[in-house]
Amino acid sequence: MFYSVVSSIMNGKMNGLLARANRSLKVEHAAGLLAASALVSGLLGLLRYRLLAAHFGIGTALDAYNVAFIVPDFMFFVLTSGALSVTFIPVLNERLNKGNKKSAWELSSSLINFLALITFVASLFIIIFAEPLVHYVVAPGLSPQTRFLAASMMRIIAVNPFLFSISSVLTSMQQAAGRFFFFALAPSLYSLGIIFGIIYLAPHVGVMGVAYGVVIGSIIQLLAAGVGMWHLGFEYRSKISWRNLGFRRVLMLLPARSIDQGIDYFNTMVEVNLASRLQIGGAIASFSYAMQLALQPITLIGVAISTAVFPKLTERINQGRRDLFRKDFRSILRVIIWLALPIAVIAFFTRGYLVRLLVANGDPTIAALLGFLVIYIFFRCMYPIVSRAYYAHQDVRTPLYTSLAAIAINIGLAVWLARPSTMGIYGLAVAESLDAVFELAVLFFILIKRYPGILDSDFINAVFRMISASGLTGIVTYAMVAYFFPLRISDAGFVVLVPKFIAIVGFSFVAYLLFSFIFRITEVQPVIERIVRFIFAGFDQKNRKIPNA
């Protein structure tokens, strides 16, 4: 009897927790959740990289680790990722808005089964051909020992495309329904699995333990995605419904988007190939670490905000409200630019601190690479929302053709600049930055021509004011780093580095808020209002307590 009562109470609490976690969110709340998730996931990712550097150093072991991910990630993004956020969600969203759940669940089941089948075959392909893939395609410049290690790890990580394909469809369904909690939780769970492998498995089996941790993280992520389906009403069917119009529509949109995604990872493959040919131990790891630092603000700002607003943008188009679509797009893009500009500027001047936080004794190569990547950071923060403006109209070809041209230019520049006789490893970072500028410029040009009024004069004036505020903020950051909190050779460890870094970033952002207020940038107003409310709320609460004393 007692057990039944306790069990009933526990089940009720569990149901209550799941109900709160799975509730539909407004755009601003979803954006906040995804930004917080990106921050937590990014911090865990940085912790993961710091632990890897501490355990194995920036050398051949980490070169093998980074090479092992290339082909599995390439397969996932080519076969799965492109079918979801920008092809599957709009089609599913359209059916859910019309109340046609039968077709929606049939579409979802068909996509799960289809992607699981093709990624299972892809995983088998990677397991069988891992060594020739590493030797002849990904990293021909590696030593035989490092190549063998990379191939062995790749065979273990090969299950990722299959596991990710299922979990990604499940979380995409939740996004279409306005649920973001378990989608936001997934990257952190994945990182925790890898961290578990580094701490508990690597001491026994070396860097191979990290690969086992990757698989553990993928499985946990899949389980969490399954929990997120609670009370969604999904009715799974173990067959592929080829006659479902929505499924056929997704398949028609899939190739263009898949090629677009695949091209980006093909570019990564080329960069790793070129880095391996430099035959410098740790060159691949150094570039990977610099890119990891560069990707954090892109994920935190560009990807998180764009992912949250994308269902809303597609809804505007489905409603025929192109005026509201243009208004929403402008406002979101302004917010992204307002956030991305100071982050890129501050990252440039504090890159020594950032690298020292990631690699205990610092690394001048990674710091220099990050310096070349600040332009990449800024332009790539804008790319997700700009590309989604096309995807909301179910136009996947324009971003694809632009990506093809941009990647061709990037590869050409990388081959030319990354030679030992020119810029070496730094040429890869320069090529990435130039590619980001070109791709976004082309997309903006076509967007303005195709949708007149999407960027008006007020938007342009605001951007110039943001640039001015960011320039002045850069002067403040430089002064903080050069005169008040210089980075010394003896500075090591979080206790020494974190307070100095927080002080620099804190003063810089306060300065940016002040300059934004002076230049009358409207995006700063909600921030200042919240700060004022917080201060006066505490003041009022304190005054209310005085009579009771």
Side-chain angles (χ1 to χ4, degrees):
M1 179 68 179
F2 175 76
Y3 175 79
S4 300
V5 172
V6 173
S7 178
S8 177
I9 294 173
M10 292 301 294
N11 287 334
K13 288 184 177 180
M14 182 61 68
N15 288 338
L17 289 172
L18 287 174
R20 286 195 293 272
N22 279 329
R23 70 183 184 273
S24 180
L25 299 177
K26 295 180 179 179
V27 169
E28 59 270 22
H29 295 153
L33 173 63
L34 292 175
S37 165
L39 177 61
V40 173
S41 176
L43 292 174
L44 288 174
L46 294 176
L47 174 61
R48 185 178 83 208
Y49 272 74
R50 181 177 175 84
L51 291 172
L52 284 169
H55 279 73
F56 306 106
I58 305 296
T60 56
L62 288 192
D63 283 346
Y65 169 79
N66 285 285
V67 167
F69 279 91
I70 297 298
V71 177
D73 284 353
F74 175 77
M75 289 294 187
F76 168 69
F77 277 94
V78 168
L79 300 175
T80 300
S81 181
L84 302 176
S85 61
V86 297
T87 55
F88 173 53
I89 291 178
V91 178
L92 180 63
N93 185 282
E94 184 180 3
R95 276 147 181 76
L96 291 175
N97 286 337
K98 293 179 179 178
N100 191 357
K101 288 190 175 183
K102 181 178 181 297
S103 177
W105 302 151
E106 191 177 72
L107 158 64
S108 303
S109 297
S110 298
L111 194 59
I112 290 174
N113 298 330
F114 176 75
L115 293 177
L117 179 62
I118 62 173
T119 53
F120 178 76
V121 174
S123 295
L124 287 178
F125 174 83
I126 295 171
I127 292 171
I128 296 170
F129 297 104
E131 190 149 359
L133 285 170
V134 172
H135 189 187
Y136 298 106
V137 178
V138 182
L142 293 181
S143 66
Q145 183 179 0
T146 306
R147 187 167 64 240
F148 175 79
L149 181 59
S152 300
M153 296 179 71
M154 185 181 289
R155 289 191 176 97
I156 297 171
I157 300 172
V159 299
N160 269 11
F162 173 72
L163 296 174
F164 281 167
S165 67
I166 301 172
S167 61
S168 296
V169 175
L170 297 180
T171 52
S172 293
M173 292 171 64
Q174 294 162 41
Q175 289 180 70
R179 298 179 172 192
F180 291 91
F181 180 79
F182 286 96
F183 169 78
L185 188 63
S188 296
L189 295 176
Y190 180 61
S191 289
L192 286 172
I194 300 176
I195 291 171
F196 174 83
I198 297 170
I199 296 175
Y200 295 104
L201 302 180
H204 303 287
V205 293
V207 73
M208 293 293 294
V210 186
Y212 295 124
V214 170
V215 177
I216 293 171
S218 301
I219 294 172
I220 296 173
Q221 181 174 300
L222 175 58
L223 294 174
V227 173
M229 298 299 292
W230 185 81
H231 272 199
L232 189 61
F234 174 51
E235 298 175 2
Y236 172 74
R237 298 180 180 180
S238 58
K239 67 175 184 177
I240 300 176
S241 302
W242 298 100
R243 293 184 178 181
N244 185 283
L245 295 179
F247 178 60
R248 289 160 64 181
R249 193 171 171 187
V250 170
L251 291 185
M252 288 177 62
L253 295 171
L254 173 60
R257 177 57 180 163
S258 294
I259 294 172
D260 190 8
Q261 289 278 334
I263 282 293
D264 288 337
Y265 264 79
F266 176 74
N267 178 62
T268 301
M269 196 179 300
V270 171
E271 290 172 339
V272 171
N273 187 298
L274 293 172
S276 75
R277 293 176 185 274
L278 295 172
Q279 296 185 344
I280 300 173
I284 296 172
S286 294
F287 184 69
S288 175
Y289 268 61
M291 287 298 296
Q292 176 69 17
L293 287 169
L295 288 172
Q296 296 308 310
I298 297 171
T299 303
L300 179 63
I301 298 172
V303 175
I305 296 175
S306 301
T307 300
V309 303
F310 184 58
K312 191 67 175 179
L313 293 178
T314 59
E315 185 179 340
R316 297 297 196 197
I317 297 301
N318 292 334
Q319 293 170 344
R321 297 302 305 271
R322 295 181 181 273
D323 56 330
L324 293 179
F325 169 82
R326 287 193 291 267
K327 180 182 177 182
D328 290 345
F329 174 79
R330 272 197 305 270
S331 63
I332 296 301
L333 182 59
R334 280 183 55 152
V335 170
I336 291 174
I337 294 174
W338 183 69
L339 292 171
L341 272 170
I343 287 178
V345 170
I346 294 170
F348 178 79
F349 290 108
T350 62
R351 62 192 185 277
Y353 276 95
L354 290 169
V355 175
R356 191 71 65 87
L357 289 169
L358 202 59
V359 181
N361 296 320
D363 190 296
T365 300
I366 300 175
L369 285 166
L370 183 59
F372 285 116
L373 286 170
V374 291
I375 296 175
Y376 171 86
I377 292 172
F378 172 63
F379 282 90
R380 278 295 172 185
C381 279
M382 290 185 283
Y383 178 82
I385 189 63
V386 175
S387 62
R388 278 165 173 77
Y390 291 93
Y391 300 143
H393 292 84
Q394 298 188 19
D395 174 12
V396 294
R397 284 188 168 84
T398 301
L400 168 62
Y401 297 150
T402 306
S403 288
L404 288 172
I407 295 303
I409 292 172
N410 187 26
I411 291 174
L413 287 171
V415 171
W416 175 45
L417 295 174
R419 293 178 298 175
S421 58
T422 51
M423 299 185 69
I425 190 69
Y426 306 113
L428 298 178
V430 174
E432 281 283 5
S433 291
L434 294 176
D435 168 66
V437 174
F438 170 80
E439 187 168 9
L440 199 69
V442 172
L443 287 176
F444 266 130
F445 178 79
I446 297 173
L447 196 66
I448 293 170
K449 289 289 185 181
R450 188 175 295 176
Y451 309 109
I454 196 166
L455 300 181
D456 54 18
S457 58
D458 289 340
F459 175 87
I460 303 300
N461 291 333
V463 170
F464 276 111
R465 282 181 273 130
M466 292 176 192
I467 292 172
S468 300
S470 299
L472 293 173
T473 301
I475 296 173
V476 172
T477 308
Y478 172 76
M480 296 292 294
V481 173
Y483 302 109
F484 295 98
F485 299 102
L487 183 63
R488 296 182 174 86
I489 297 176
S490 59
D491 289 344
F494 284 100
V495 175
V496 176
L497 291 170
V498 170
K500 294 174 69 174
F501 179 73
I502 291 175
I504 294 169
V505 173
F507 276 112
S508 298
F509 269 106
V510 169
Y512 184 65
L513 293 176
L514 176 62
F515 294 136
S516 295
F517 179 77
I518 293 171
F519 285 111
R520 297 182 180 179
I521 299 170
T522 57
E523 281 70 22
V524 76
Q525 292 176 359
V527 178
I528 293 177
E529 288 173 2
R530 289 192 177 189
I531 293 173
V532 171
R533 280 201 303 268
F534 176 78
I535 293 173
F536 280 94
F539 179 76
D540 291 342
Q541 186 178 8
K542 192 173 182 179
N543 285 342
R544 283 196 297 268
K545 290 181 180 179
I546 292 175
N548 296 330

